[in-house]
Amino acid sequence: MKVWNKGKAYIVLGLSIFLSFIIIYGIGLQDNIRGIQISMQLLIIFGFIVVGAIGYNKKIETKHLIYLVIWIGMVMRIGYMLYTPIDVRAHDLGEMSIEGNGHFAYIAQILEGKLPTTNQYQFYHPPFFHFLAAITSKFTNYILRKEDLKEIIEAAKMVSCFASCGMLMMTVSICEEFHLSEKGKLGAVSFIAFLPNFYLLAGRINNDALAIFFIFVIILYTARWYKEATYKNSIILALAFGFGMMTKISVGIMALYTGSIMVYVLVKSVRKKEGKCVLGKLAVFGGFCFPMALWYPIRNYLLFGQTFSYVPKISINDPKYCGDYLWWQRFLGVPFNKGYSLIYNSPYHDYNTNLYLIKGALFGEFTFETSKLLSATLLVFFSVLILGSVYIYINLLYKYARSRTYEIVTLYSITIIMYFSYVLFNIQYPFGCTMDYRYVVPLALMNSLALGMQIDTLVMEENKSFVYINNAMIICLIIFSMLSVVMFCNIGPQSTVLIH
């Protein structure tokens, strides 16, 4: 099923986000959070009505349910972006003036036509997100005519919202490269559509969402390059790396995965005496990728002596320091007896990375003004899904290690690369804020693809026990999806980092 007509869908997406923002902020309804949430609920009901009308005239197919899931996922992301100010559930925003050194000031300085003259705090990052954010803010303000800098830069969150929605759309394409059935796609897309961390990413003005978007592009076009190493795929893959590393240097970690695939294809082509052809594609890839990816790190090295892997140091006296816990307390197991007594993460008191990731995928590092029972139930069902993913990974390795080698290699290699780079990061920087889920969001894509592949095994599964487990996972996903929508269509206006 070809859901998306190439770039047209992304153009429609961008226009939809832009028009929604112009209408809400132009009329001045951005503070009417409940009104926006009710509108989201009505749009979701509209989606069900459309699918119901299709079912009235003809049989509802799985592809129609995929359309519905994508529609609701888009509504959730765009709606959340509209009702969430940039200083609510934010990361590394800094002082909201041009004199600061966080993401806000970075955008403000580019609005003034200059790059940061230091690498302090968030100024060490490459500028691509902030450049797009500044252009979006400036263009939007030609229409809205705001004078307050915060009101002008509110428009920058449209870049993150587009990236978050784009990841959902791209999941469909990646599912196709993984040869998932319609039912498998539905399961995979549902997981990405309703994982709340993607809502949170959509409402921020930092470089996380855009960087993850480019990682999705890299995963998609690495698969396409593996199957067909054309100049087109080489250039798009190079641009994904180039723009990705111009957004956030950590996108370069994907070179471990893509580079391994490229070496494998090159070796295989050399054995077939076709090595020159592949070398030419690799030369084109490098010609585009390396200048784009490295110009800003080289600039900062020359100006500030900033190393390629530089991250600003945090004092061990910081209240978020957790390096005094033993390594096995931090990285092994999940302290269910202690951790689940509190629903939300606390970067000031938590220390176990696994539990922090589970909670962070849903709530980030924040509390929410909503029913604690609702939040707790959402957490329980998501925990079951994550626990089930361990079984799924093992089962897929057993079933598909030889017949679907590329898919299994992708699932395992990206999961290992992401998780162990995260662990290494937390060893080097043992702080609560370092444990946040936003550093490993591509793991969600791997979980979704694994879930989709597992759903596809149902048609060939003969063991009734495994069938029951699979069906239980599907039911759990459905309930999780509903709870996610209900919660984020009803949360209150305030949110804080949990301190207790």
Side-chain angles (χ1 to χ4, degrees):
M1 178 191 68
K2 295 292 183 182
V3 177
W4 308 115
N5 184 4
K6 297 183 179 180
K8 290 182 181 179
Y10 290 93
I11 294 173
V12 172
L13 170 63
L15 289 174
S16 300
I17 293 171
F18 180 74
L19 290 175
S20 299
F21 186 90
I22 290 295
I23 291 170
I24 295 297
Y25 279 76
I27 299 175
L29 297 177
Q30 64 270 22
D31 294 327
N32 186 2
I33 295 173
R34 192 60 194 145
I36 295 173
Q37 291 173 340
I38 291 173
S39 299
M40 292 165 64
Q41 295 167 19
L42 292 175
L43 287 170
I44 292 170
I45 293 172
F46 172 75
F48 277 101
I49 291 173
V50 171
V51 172
I54 293 172
Y56 182 79
N57 295 311
K58 59 181 181 180
K59 181 181 177 181
I60 296 177
E61 300 176 21
T62 306
K63 69 177 182 180
H64 299 131
L65 298 179
I66 297 175
Y67 294 145
L68 177 62
V69 166
I70 293 171
W71 168 259
I72 298 173
M74 297 291 186
V75 169
M76 295 303 297
R77 286 157 170 76
I78 297 172
Y80 176 85
M81 179 271 294
L82 292 173
Y83 73 68
T84 306
I86 58 174
D87 55 349
V88 173
R89 292 180 285 276
H91 279 295
D92 306 321
L93 189 64
E95 179 185 340
M96 287 197 289
S97 77
I98 198 170
E99 305 300 326
N101 52 15
H103 289 292
F104 185 98
Y106 203 144
I107 297 169
Q109 292 203 17
I110 293 182
L111 278 171
E112 294 293 316
K114 59 183 180 180
L115 287 170
T117 54
T118 75
N119 67 337
Q120 295 177 356
Y121 194 35
Q122 299 307 309
F123 284 179
Y124 78 98
H125 282 295
F128 188 59
F129 165 79
H130 307 89
F131 176 73
L132 292 181
I135 290 177
T136 303
S137 299
K138 195 172 189 68
F139 180 77
T140 304
N141 204 47
Y142 284 136
I143 300 172
L144 297 182
R145 300 293 181 180
K146 302 292 184 180
E147 295 184 1
D148 180 73
L149 186 59
K150 178 181 180 295
E151 292 182 338
I152 294 171
I153 293 181
E154 280 282 346
K157 62 188 178 180
M158 283 191 280
V159 177
S160 294
C161 186
F162 177 86
S164 183
C165 292
M167 288 179 242
L168 176 56
M169 293 169 61
M170 207 171 307
T171 300
V172 179
S173 299
I174 296 172
C175 287
E176 289 169 355
E177 296 300 326
F178 267 57
H179 306 292
L180 297 187
S181 70
E182 297 293 277
K183 291 182 179 178
K185 289 177 192 173
L186 178 59
V189 172
S190 296
F191 189 86
I192 297 297
F194 303 121
L195 187 65
N197 206 276
F198 288 101
Y199 312 156
L200 301 177
L201 287 169
R204 294 176 182 149
I205 60 163
N206 67 4
N207 52 2
D208 288 329
L210 190 61
I212 299 164
F213 171 81
F214 284 119
I215 289 178
F216 274 52
V217 179
I218 289 169
I219 293 170
L220 173 61
Y221 274 89
T222 298
R224 291 180 175 175
W225 194 91
Y226 170 75
K227 295 172 184 177
E228 193 175 3
T230 63
Y231 282 107
K232 174 187 173 183
N233 288 339
S234 300
I235 291 171
I236 294 175
L237 189 54
L239 293 176
F241 270 103
F243 284 123
M245 293 181 68
M246 282 171 58
T247 302
K248 201 169 186 179
I249 290 295
S250 59
V251 172
I253 193 71
M254 291 302 295
L256 293 174
Y257 164 68
T258 300
S260 299
I261 298 296
M262 286 179 165
V263 169
Y264 173 77
V265 172
L266 177 61
V267 170
K268 192 166 68 170
S269 68
V270 168
R271 289 175 179 172
K272 295 180 180 180
K273 297 183 179 180
E274 299 172 355
K276 288 184 179 180
C277 182
V278 175
L279 281 172
K281 310 298 187 351
L282 292 176
V284 169
F285 170 85
F288 278 92
C289 175
F290 291 122
M292 294 175 64
L294 298 177
W295 74 270
Y296 202 77
I298 292 173
R299 168 197 183 266
N300 279 11
Y301 176 77
L302 294 175
L303 290 178
F304 316 117
Q306 177 180 312
T307 61
F308 189 80
S309 59
Y310 172 79
V311 175
K313 297 291 184 182
I314 306 176
S315 169
I316 61 172
N317 296 319
D318 188 283
K320 296 186 290 293
Y321 180 74
C322 58
D324 47 357
Y325 285 94
L326 298 174
W327 67 269
W328 60 267
Q329 292 177 299
R330 297 183 62 207
F331 301 113
L332 295 182
V334 177
F336 290 101
N337 58 329
K338 295 182 179 179
Y340 277 80
S341 61
L342 295 169
I343 300 170
Y344 305 113
N345 280 330
S346 169
Y348 296 93
H349 293 85
D350 288 337
Y351 57 88
N352 182 267
T353 55
N354 296 322
L355 182 61
Y356 210 87
L357 288 177
I358 292 172
K359 292 182 178 180
L362 306 178
F363 313 122
E365 299 179 305
F366 307 95
T367 64
F368 289 83
E369 192 176 310
T370 188
S371 164
K372 287 188 177 181
L373 177 61
L374 177 60
S375 299
T377 308
L378 180 65
L379 178 59
V380 168
F381 277 95
F382 182 69
S383 300
V384 173
L385 283 175
I386 294 302
L387 185 62
S389 69
V390 177
Y391 150 74
I392 289 174
Y393 267 71
I394 296 171
N395 188 48
L396 292 179
L397 181 63
Y398 171 75
K399 288 183 179 295
Y400 293 131
R402 298 195 177 200
S403 61
R404 300 179 70 174
T405 304
Y406 179 82
E407 289 88 341
I408 296 300
V409 167
T410 297
L411 286 177
Y412 271 84
S413 60
I414 293 180
T415 298
I416 290 170
I417 288 169
M418 283 290 163
Y419 184 74
F420 281 97
S421 64
Y422 168 83
V423 169
L424 180 60
F425 187 39
N426 275 275
I427 291 173
Q428 294 174 327
Y429 300 93
F431 297 90
C433 55
T434 313
M435 298 190 292
D436 193 25
Y437 187 80
R438 64 194 173 108
Y439 298 115
V440 293
V441 172
L443 288 180
L445 178 60
M446 296 302 102
N447 288 336
S448 72
L449 293 172
L451 179 61
M453 292 176 68
Q454 181 67 22
I455 290 172
D456 284 350
T457 66
L458 278 172
V459 298
M460 63 182 76
E461 186 61 70
E462 297 178 356
N463 189 313
K464 289 187 177 181
S465 297
F466 287 152
V467 172
Y468 292 147
I469 294 173
N470 289 348
N471 288 334
M473 289 284 290
I474 294 171
I475 293 171
C476 189
L477 176 63
I478 293 171
I479 297 173
F480 163 77
S481 301
M482 292 190 297
L483 291 172
S484 170
V485 171
V486 170
M487 176 175 172
F488 281 84
C489 278
N490 290 282
I491 61 174
Q494 298 300 320
S495 177
T496 58
V497 175
L498 184 60
I499 305 175
H500 56 84

